[in-house]
Amino acid sequence: MSSLASKKEISAEDLADLRKAVRLLENQGFTRLLNNVAGKPAGKALEFVPRRLKNKIDKIVSGALKQGLQLALASLDGKDAAPPKKITSTLISSLAGGLSGFFGLAGLAAELPVTLTVMLRSIAEIARSQGEDLSLLPARLACMEVLALGAPVEEKHDQSSYYLARDEFSRFSGNAAEALSGRGVDAARSPEVNGFLGQVGAKFGVVVWERAAASSVPIIGVAGGAAGNALFIRYFQDLATGHFIVRKLERAYGEAIVRARFMDIFASLY
């Protein structure tokens, strides 16, 4: 069977879902989203935040991700079939972000683990809605992988930013899954798991940094933090929706066929 014939096996309904996924995943980055919503100053806010805060934010992100991994391994419910509660998650995250905006970096240290917990539960709901079995370790780690999809990548108009990011961290995901499968929670401090968390943290931390910088633009304090956090969580909800649509279609048609059709759609749109 030719490659072209194989591509045509995907149903019209599933192709529509894949087009939706391409639009959600081939994003322009969180800062550009903020620019579209709040205007150009949101993107320029990064220039005015002291760089010395970057290391502090990285430490906050690292600690939050370790808590997030424990959540993913221990308490994401794989049986609850309720539809995703995106609005509820966004409201909770907005309130937490408001506190962060009011108290600054100290508030971020307290707020980010709360926001990440809300986000991971929302991502898990989205995953289940696309047929993921969260009793399986790879599916749970895939929820964590969503956090690595949000950072901007070097613009390459002939390449998918989604697949560039996914290819980059797939090896780390596989190593972490193998370690956790073999040693359970005892592997949480292993080099394999730390490598996975480091890879996710490096990507996720970029967006946290952007959100922290933008929390004071165009309005300062509580309102700015709340608005930024609302966009923040919806940004990752959209990425999760696209990611798990792709994974659903891969289970149905195989990774190679879905990737080929994804790239066809990407080429036609971009």
Side-chain angles (χ1 to χ4, degrees), residues 18-80:
L18 188 58
R19 289 189 187 96
K20 175 182 178 181
V22 173
R23 291 187 176 94
L24 291 173
L25 291 165
E26 296 302 330
N27 64 82
Q28 299 299 308
F30 185 64
T31 294
R32 292 190 184 182
L33 172 63
L34 288 168
N35 285 343
N36 292 336
V37 173
K40 192 172 182 180
K44 287 187 170 294
L46 289 170
E47 300 174 10
F48 302 101
V49 178
R51 297 296 300 177
R52 60 184 173 78
L53 296 182
K54 183 66 167 62
N55 289 338
K56 294 182 179 179
I57 289 176
D58 287 344
K59 290 179 181 179
I60 293 170
V61 167
S62 178
L65 285 178
K66 289 177 182 177
Q67 293 183 40
L69 178 65
Q70 293 302 319
L71 171 69
L73 295 178
S75 61
L76 289 183
D77 189 346
K79 297 180 180 179
D80 184 0

Side-chain angles (χ1 to χ4, degrees), residues 18 22 25-26 149 153 159-170 243 246-247 249-250 254-263 266:
L18 188 58
V22 173
L25 291 165
E26 296 302 330
L149 296 176
V153 299
Q159 295 188 48
S160 156
S161 62
Y162 169 65
Y163 277 110
L164 284 173
R166 192 171 172 185
D167 291 347
E168 186 176 353
F169 64 70
S170 62
H243 184 47
V246 171
R247 284 174 57 90
L249 297 179
E250 287 174 345
E255 293 183 13
I257 290 175
V258 173
R259 184 166 184 157
R261 289 301 275 155
F262 186 108
M263 292 306 300
F266 171 76

Side-chain angles (χ1 to χ4, degrees), residues 169-192:
F169 64 70
S170 62
R171 176 173 60 86
F172 295 91
S173 300
N175 290 343
E178 184 177 353
L180 290 164
S181 296
R183 288 172 274 168
V185 294
D186 291 338
R189 296 183 179 180
S190 68
E192 296 88 350

Side-chain angles (χ1 to χ4, degrees), residues 12-27 84 86 126 129-130 237-243 245-246 248-249 262 265-266 269-270:
E13 180 180 358
D14 287 339
L15 274 177
D17 280 348
L18 188 58
R19 289 189 187 96
K20 175 182 178 181
V22 173
R23 291 187 176 94
L24 291 173
L25 291 165
E26 296 302 330
N27 64 82
K86 292 185 179 180
I126 293 168
S129 75
Q130 298 297 333
Q237 286 171 336
D238 285 347
L239 291 172
T241 299
H243 184 47
I245 285 174
V246 171
K248 176 187 69 175
L249 297 179
F262 186 108
I265 296 167
F266 171 76
L269 293 176
Y270 300 94

Side-chain angles (χ1 to χ4, degrees), residues 229-245:
N229 227 28
L231 287 172
F232 183 73
I233 193 168
R234 288 304 297 268
Y235 179 65
F236 283 100
Q237 286 171 336
D238 285 347
L239 291 172
T241 299
H243 184 47
F244 289 111
I245 285 174

